[in-house]
Amino acid sequence: QVQLVESGGGLVQAGGSLRLSCAASKGTFSTYTVGWFRQAPGKEREIVARITWSAGTTYYADSVKGRFTISRDNAKNTVYLQMNSVKPEDTAVYYCAASNRFINTWVYDYWGQGTQVTVSS
């Protein structure tokens, strides 16, 4: 069982930077794949980035490629999402999720409560 807590959200101006953190407050997720997702008002939740447990493989949505970086520190039980050159369209609630099941795709069983990111123009 893993419990995830996101932090680092807030209000930032377009072109600025923000770093989100996802910490496992209970359990350890060093062997889990962790994804960052976001959901904007009126839109479906979408994956933003993903990192495997070994940090050997990362994935980024096209919309954030080259601007966002996902990383993890297993010793600190924390996964980060560095957001640079943010745009107003990055405004959303950001969630982290953990998975240790792959059935054609990663199945995320554990979710954090979300953190709001608002980018002003």
Side-chain angles (χ1 to χ4, degrees), residues 6-10 18-21 115-117:
E6 302 99 335
S7 61
L18 211 58
R19 189 177 80 159
L20 306 183
S21 298
T115 186
Q116 176 71 47
V117 172

Side-chain angles (χ1 to χ4, degrees), residues 47-118:
I47 188 166
V48 174
R50 179 182 65 231
I51 189 166
T52 57
W53 70 270
S54 64
T57 304
T58 56
Y59 162 83
Y60 296 95
D62 287 342
S63 58
V64 306
K65 204 172 290 184
R67 300 188 298 121
F68 291 8
T69 302
I70 189 170
S71 61
R72 69 191 301 162
D73 185 337
N74 286 335
K76 294 184 177 180
N77 241 3
T78 303
V79 172
Y80 304 97
L81 184 69
Q82 179 67 43
M83 305 168 61
N84 296 331
S85 303
V86 295
K87 304 175 181 179
E89 51 263 44
D90 294 322
T91 295
V93 177
Y94 284 71
Y95 301 88
C96 67
S99 169
N100 64 351
R101 297 192 296 147
F102 186 89
I103 306 173
N104 295 320
T105 186
W106 291 103
V107 179
Y108 294 90
D109 293 314
Y110 307 102
W111 291 82
Q113 82 289 349
T115 186
Q116 176 71 47
V117 172
T118 303

Side-chain angles (χ1 to χ4, degrees), residues 27-57:
T28 177
F29 63 2
S30 62
T31 59
Y32 286 69
T33 285
V34 177
W36 280 100
F37 295 77
R38 66 186 181 187
Q39 187 166 21
K43 294 189 176 181
E44 292 188 356
R45 185 174 60 198
E46 61 176 352
I47 188 166
V48 174
R50 179 182 65 231
I51 189 166
T52 57
W53 70 270
S54 64
T57 304

Side-chain angles (χ1 to χ4, degrees), residues 5-18:
V5 179
E6 302 99 335
S7 61
L11 176 65
V12 60
Q13 286 190 331
S17 298
L18 211 58

